[in-house]
Amino acid sequence: FGLSLPAVAVLLVALLCLDPHCRVGSAPICAHGPSGCHIPSLADLFDRVIQHSARMHSLSNDLHSEFEQYFLPSKNHIGKIYRKCHTSNILTPNGKDNAQKLAREELTEVILKLLMAWRDPLFQLHQSMAHQQDFNSFSSNKALEMGDMAHELRKGVEKVAEKMRVLGMLGNSVTGLSAAEAMLPLSDSGEAMSDYELLYCFRRDSNKVQNYLKILKCRIVPEHDC
Amino acid sequence: MWRDAEQALTLMWLLSWISHSMCHSSPGRPRITRCRSPEKETFTCWWEPGSTGGLPTSYQLYYRKESSLEVFECPDYHKAGNNSCYFDKRHTSIWIIYNITVVASNALGKAYSESVEVDVMDIVQPHPPENVNVTFMQTTNSPYFLVQWQPPHDADTRSGWVTIKYEVRLKIENSGNEEDSNWESYSAGKQLEFSIYSPQPGANYIVQVRCKLDQGLWSEWSPSAFIQIPDNMSDTQNAFMIIAVTLMVIIFLLTAGVLTVKMKPVKHFFLPPVPEPKISGLDTQLLKSGKAEDIFSALITPGYPQIAQRSDHQVEYLVVSDYDEEMDFNGKAHLEFQKGENCLTDTAQKVSQNSIQITLNSSQDVRTTLSEHVYSGAVSSQLSATSGVLGEPQELLPLDCNGLPVKAQDQNTQMSSGSKCEHVSINPAGLMGYVEVDEEKRDQTPLVGEDYSMVTDVISDKILVLQDSIPKQGHKEVKCDKTFKAEETGVVFEPLGYLETLTTFSSGS
């Protein structure tokens, strides 16, 4: 054909740069305001994430009680006190007053840290439950759903934080949002935690997330249900 | 003797001393019965003491938190009553395991209860709802009663810390009847009121409400609220009215039915009789009872049949013939039909709006089916005549309004120019297949009046199919006129020029 490679490259670059209409951009779907489509308000977003967290906690409750019923017939709680969850390092408010004293940004950050820390352990939990024959398929499905839900919830809370930042409700002191790291579920002695321990810890942490979200919501958008 | 007395005294003293010292011992082990948090901010634990050992015993509660080894003592022994420990907000941490032990101690020793581990998150049980009241709402058509309540005073919903859900239950207070003694429960969500529709009039209801926080434990049932539903008088009046009206209607229907059956005038009023086909001038009673000659003489009255009019009216013919074998009458039925003014004289007669379909099945058992279809346009119909004698079915003779192979002679002196009816009479006599009138067979039982037992089929409103049980001759006549009458073979009671028509057919080739 006769055109050399550099000439082709120059042509391509010229096309891309000179014709702006060739560039692919993204436009928001709801570009035309309220008449175009329904933009969820902050209150709607909060309601959604709170519902999500309630569902997640009830799933973890079910799984934990199933475990206790079938695998630990003696309701012997000795030994619990020495169990340490891998999220114990994250400082979380332990009561209503402490949670209310925390600033919005810090509370949001705590929620995101918790959710992020459970991303991999929940996946591990589902894997190990699916491989054991002791569990029926319902339990392992619940574990999978729980893991997905934690992932979705984290995305949802991030959206809520984004919206709050846009509306000016959040200061810029939130630096930890992107820096929340995934943690390995190791107990004190360095061994991997058992399924039961993981379930116990997640049940507790999901209850924390649910409570913190509700506190946050009623502080920021106290219209209904507060 | 003194020795015995000394021994007895010593023995008694020893015994009393022993028994006295046996009443005192270290205390028995206490037992922690339950711990509860009413609002997820504070909690209380209760214990049950063991034996006291006869000495004054004191109890202490010690606890340890999950992550530390430091031991604390109960902050408040009195707020929640005897043998209890109340942890206030400052001392309560949620999502942490408490290891709690109760120690009973007296002069002779101590006793430790079993340790109990609690997480406040697991022991949340609120107080029951407060100020439950019930009011009866009397609306016009759907009465109901409204249950209202207040949340327990210590639950904090305003900050969103907890979410309360309620449940209402009610039952009818019935002293003797066991069927109604079950509670009906309804979930009331987060609202503070609840409506119960369609209550039983005159019943005594007991209503209770309870609540729970998030996924915690249900509270105790609130104190009962009572309500008496008044007897609804308008309802009973309505019931009486309805019953009375229904009875009246039933009685009316019964009398009408009875009267209808018994009395003819009433019967004619409710069920008007269907008019029978009547031929003017024909006395049916005479036909039933009289002889042939009388009948005929009755028929031929002045002006009946209107023979004199024949020349004034058009002659109508029904022409049925086969094109190819027109002169061969073997086993074929010939019917000629012509409608005078509308049809051409030639074979291509045009029957204006009529076509005739004629089927002859066999000469032994002649069942002739005649049907007349009145079409608005040109149609073709088929004539199929079969003769069982010949052992072969007749070929179909197409009858077409435009090119009419079907011819039958007919005289319908009463026909006006616009009329569309015609006579058709077919008489396949033996092998000839002629349409023939056998006048000697007239005295056979006529099919008249109300004797429709020979009719096997009704094709249109002008055609009856008759069953011929004496198939000597296959007389079939279909008269399509306003006064319709179908007759069995052999007997001709065609008043409208039929006699003339009969004579026009020849019985031979």
Side-chain angles (χ1 to χ4, degrees):
Chain A
F1 185 52
L3 274 183
S4 62
L5 190 56
V8 172
V10 168
L11 267 176
L12 276 174
V13 170
L15 275 173
L16 285 172
C17 295
L18 294 178
D19 188 3
H21 298 297
C22 278
R23 277 197 219 105
V24 178
S26 67
I29 297 175
C30 300
H32 303 290
S35 61
C37 60
H38 171 66
I39 306 175
S41 65
L42 190 58
D44 294 337
L45 282 175
F46 261 117
D47 283 339
R48 177 124 177 90
V49 295
I50 288 172
Q51 276 176 30
H52 232 130
S53 69
R55 170 89 181 129
M56 191 175 76
H57 176 66
S58 92
L59 273 177
S60 71
N61 225 354
D62 292 344
L63 274 175
H64 179 259
S65 59
E66 270 179 42
F67 234 105
E68 262 190 347
Q69 199 175 349
Y70 293 117
F71 295 95
L72 298 164
S74 62
K75 295 273 177 94
N76 194 1
H77 296 291
I78 291 179
K80 240 194 227 175
I81 196 164
Y82 304 113
R83 187 180 306 113
K84 212 173 168 184
C85 298
H86 68 286
T87 49
S88 305
N89 304 332
I90 304 174
L91 287 175
T92 56
N94 277 330
K96 183 182 91 172
D97 296 333
N98 290 346
Q100 284 180 325
K101 281 179 196 149
L102 223 54
R104 297 175 190 164
E105 297 85 357
E106 290 168 26
L107 199 53
T108 315
E109 194 172 339
V110 160
I111 296 171
L112 286 170
K113 269 189 191 168
L114 280 173
L115 288 171
M116 191 62 193
W118 276 103
R119 189 188 67 182
D120 293 334
L122 284 177
F123 180 70
Q124 279 182 23
L125 179 67
H126 164 64
Q127 291 290 325
S128 86
M129 280 177 83
H131 285 134
Q132 289 180 27
Q133 265 74 22
D134 294 335
F135 295 100
N136 55 15
S137 61
F138 285 133
S139 297
S140 110
N141 281 344
K142 273 187 194 160
L144 181 64
E145 190 183 350
M146 212 165 64
D148 289 341
M149 212 158 265
H151 180 78
E152 292 298 322
L153 186 59
R154 184 165 57 86
K155 289 277 161 39
V157 174
E158 281 172 1
K159 281 204 174 60
V160 167
E162 186 62 42
K163 184 124 189 166
M164 285 200 294
R165 200 178 299 129
V166 162
L167 292 174
M169 293 176 173
L170 278 188
N172 283 331
S173 62
V174 190
T175 54
L177 282 181
S178 54
E181 68 263 16
M183 296 167 68
L184 284 176
L186 296 177
S187 65
D188 249 355
S189 54
E191 297 162 1
M193 294 172 74
S194 70
D195 288 344
Y196 178 69
E197 288 170 343
L198 277 175
L199 279 174
Y200 179 82
C201 289
F202 185 66
R203 178 168 161 262
R204 177 191 276 184
D205 284 343
S206 59
N207 195 246
K208 282 185 184 175
V209 165
Q210 187 182 5
N211 265 124
Y212 297 155
L213 280 172
K214 286 201 281 186
I215 290 269
L216 203 58
K217 183 219 170 194
C218 282
R219 206 194 290 180
I220 292 177
V221 279
E223 284 93 44
H224 26 261
D225 288 347
C226 286
Chain B
M1 182 180 139
W2 274 117
R3 273 203 120 70
D4 292 336
E6 265 184 48
Q7 281 175 354
L9 267 173
T10 316
L11 202 60
M12 280 172 61
W13 182 79
L14 267 172
L15 277 173
S16 70
W17 180 80
I18 287 168
S19 65
H20 198 35
S21 69
M22 281 200 144
C23 287
H24 298 296
S25 66
S26 59
R29 290 183 85 178
R31 191 173 69 92
I32 299 175
T33 51
R34 67 186 189 125
C35 297
R36 286 289 181 262
S37 166
E39 77 288 80
K40 210 171 177 178
E41 297 174 46
T42 67
F43 73 105
T44 313
C45 283
W46 291 269
W47 66 84
E48 164 190 274
S51 61
T52 58
L55 296 167
T57 317
S58 67
Y59 297 93
Q60 287 90 36
L61 184 143
Y62 297 102
Y63 67 92
R64 199 154 55 89
K65 283 192 175 176
E66 174 178 309
S67 46
S68 78
L69 293 170
E70 194 178 347
V71 178
F72 303 94
E73 197 181 341
C74 172
D76 190 335
Y77 284 106
H78 304 293
K79 184 159 184 182
N82 273 344
N83 298 326
S84 71
C85 176
Y86 171 77
F87 295 80
D88 59 352
K89 282 188 193 179
R90 233 167 16 97
H91 293 96
T92 306
S93 303
I94 315 187
W95 304 302
I96 283 181
I97 294 183
Y98 283 74
N99 188 314
I100 299 174
T101 318
V102 172
V103 179
S105 54
N106 66 5
L108 291 177
K110 289 186 177 182
Y112 291 84
S113 69
E114 267 191 39
S115 291
V116 158
E117 289 184 338
V118 287
D119 186 337
V120 175
M121 156 181 136
D122 296 329
I123 56 168
V124 177
Q125 184 185 32
H127 293 132
E130 299 170 355
N131 297 337
V132 179
N133 59 0
V134 196
T135 40
F136 180 67
M137 305 293 202
Q138 175 107 43
T139 57
T140 51
N141 281 331
S142 59
Y144 65 98
F145 61 87
L146 185 68
V147 189
Q148 291 170 310
W149 58 87
Q150 294 295 315
H153 61 273
D154 45 16
D156 180 10
T157 50
R158 194 164 307 135
S159 68
W161 183 240
V162 286
T163 313
I164 308 185
K165 279 190 289 198
Y166 299 99
E167 193 179 17
V168 180
R169 76 172 182 182
L170 53 117
K171 89 174 170 178
I172 297 176
E173 186 178 13
N174 216 325
S175 50
N177 201 350
E178 276 309 306
E179 294 171 4
D180 280 345
S181 62
N182 286 332
W183 290 97
E184 292 173 27
S185 294
Y186 302 95
S187 168
K190 299 176 196 163
Q191 59 210 32
L192 295 176
E193 59 183 29
F194 194 71
S195 308
I196 314 275
Y197 291 93
S198 303
Q200 270 189 34
N204 244 340
Y205 277 97
I206 311 176
V207 182
Q208 291 179 329
V209 190
R210 69 177 180 179
C211 57
K212 79 171 176 180
L213 304 178
D214 294 330
Q215 283 91 14
L217 304 161
W218 282 106
S219 72
E220 297 296 323
W221 288 104
S222 68
S224 301
F226 299 92
I227 185 165
Q228 168 99 32
I229 311 290
D231 273 331
N232 212 339
M233 284 312 296
S234 62
D235 268 355
T236 45
Q237 275 179 0
N238 280 343
F240 277 131
M241 286 290 300
I242 290 170
I243 290 172
V245 168
T246 312
L247 277 176
M248 296 289 295
V249 167
I250 290 173
I251 290 168
F252 173 71
L253 284 173
L254 279 175
T255 37
V258 167
L259 284 177
T260 307
V261 171
K262 295 292 181 190
M263 292 170 48
K264 265 205 177 293
V266 182
K267 185 177 181 179
H268 284 294
F269 177 68
F270 281 119
L271 306 167
V274 179
E276 311 158 356
K278 285 212 187 304
I279 300 169
S280 54
L282 191 62
D283 187 2
T284 57
Q285 297 301 322
L286 192 57
L287 286 177
K288 277 183 187 169
S289 56
K291 299 201 170 146
E293 298 78 14
D294 297 339
I295 295 166
F296 272 110
S297 59
L299 276 182
I300 303 172
T301 57
Y304 181 84
Q306 296 95 358
I307 299 169
Q309 303 172 22
R310 178 169 66 102
S311 56
D312 299 333
H313 292 240
Q314 58 180 291
V315 174
E316 304 196 14
Y317 301 92
L318 170 68
V319 178
V320 178
S321 67
D322 186 277
Y323 277 118
D324 297 332
E325 299 169 2
E326 191 160 351
M327 300 312 289
D328 181 15
F329 296 111
N330 255 352
K332 292 197 173 77
H334 281 263
L335 296 172
E336 281 198 342
F337 168 72
Q338 274 183 349
K339 190 157 184 184
E341 64 178 15
N342 288 335
C343 290
L344 306 175
T345 53
D346 203 33
T347 57
Q349 289 96 351
K350 174 169 63 164
V351 179
S352 62
Q353 305 296 336
N354 292 321
S355 62
I356 294 200
Q357 178 180 0
I358 299 162
T359 306
L360 292 174
N361 287 330
S362 72
S363 64
Q364 295 294 330
D365 182 16
V366 174
R367 265 171 288 165
T368 308
T369 306
L370 293 176
S371 68
E372 184 183 79
H373 304 272
V374 179
Y375 298 99
S376 57
V379 298
S380 66
S381 69
Q382 290 194 338
L383 171 73
S384 67
T386 60
S387 169
V389 175
L390 296 180
E392 59 186 5
Q394 301 278 347
E395 62 178 283
L396 299 177
L397 304 176
L399 169 69
D400 193 73
C401 274
N402 293 324
L404 196 62
V406 176
K407 299 192 291 185
Q409 279 197 339
D410 186 15
Q411 286 187 2
N412 191 345
T413 56
Q414 264 194 351
M415 300 297 287
S416 60
S417 62
S419 165
K420 300 189 170 73
C421 289
E422 55 275 330
H423 297 297
V424 170
S425 65
I426 307 165
N427 181 15
L431 297 172
M432 302 309 289
Y434 280 143
V435 179
E436 194 174 71
V437 175
D438 190 358
E439 300 187 3
E440 285 124 37
K441 299 283 191 216
R442 279 180 213 162
D443 54 350
Q444 292 184 13
T445 312
L447 179 68
V448 297
E450 293 135 22
D451 183 9
Y452 293 108
S453 59
M454 307 277 208
V455 178
T456 59
D457 196 9
V458 179
I459 296 171
S460 73
D461 57 350
K462 296 177 192 170
I463 312 285
L464 285 183
V465 178
L466 304 176
Q467 174 76 35
D468 180 9
S469 54
I470 308 171
K472 287 262 177 82
Q473 296 183 355
H475 262 299
K476 184 63 68 163
E477 183 178 65
V478 173
K479 174 163 180 232
C480 44
D481 199 352
K482 293 205 173 57
T483 64
F484 171 78
K485 199 155 81 161
E487 298 177 359
E488 190 41 70
T489 59
V491 179
V492 177
F493 275 94
E494 184 45 60
L496 298 175
Y498 174 79
L499 291 174
E500 306 293 322
T501 310
L502 290 180
T503 55
T504 58
F505 286 99
S506 61
S507 60
S509 59

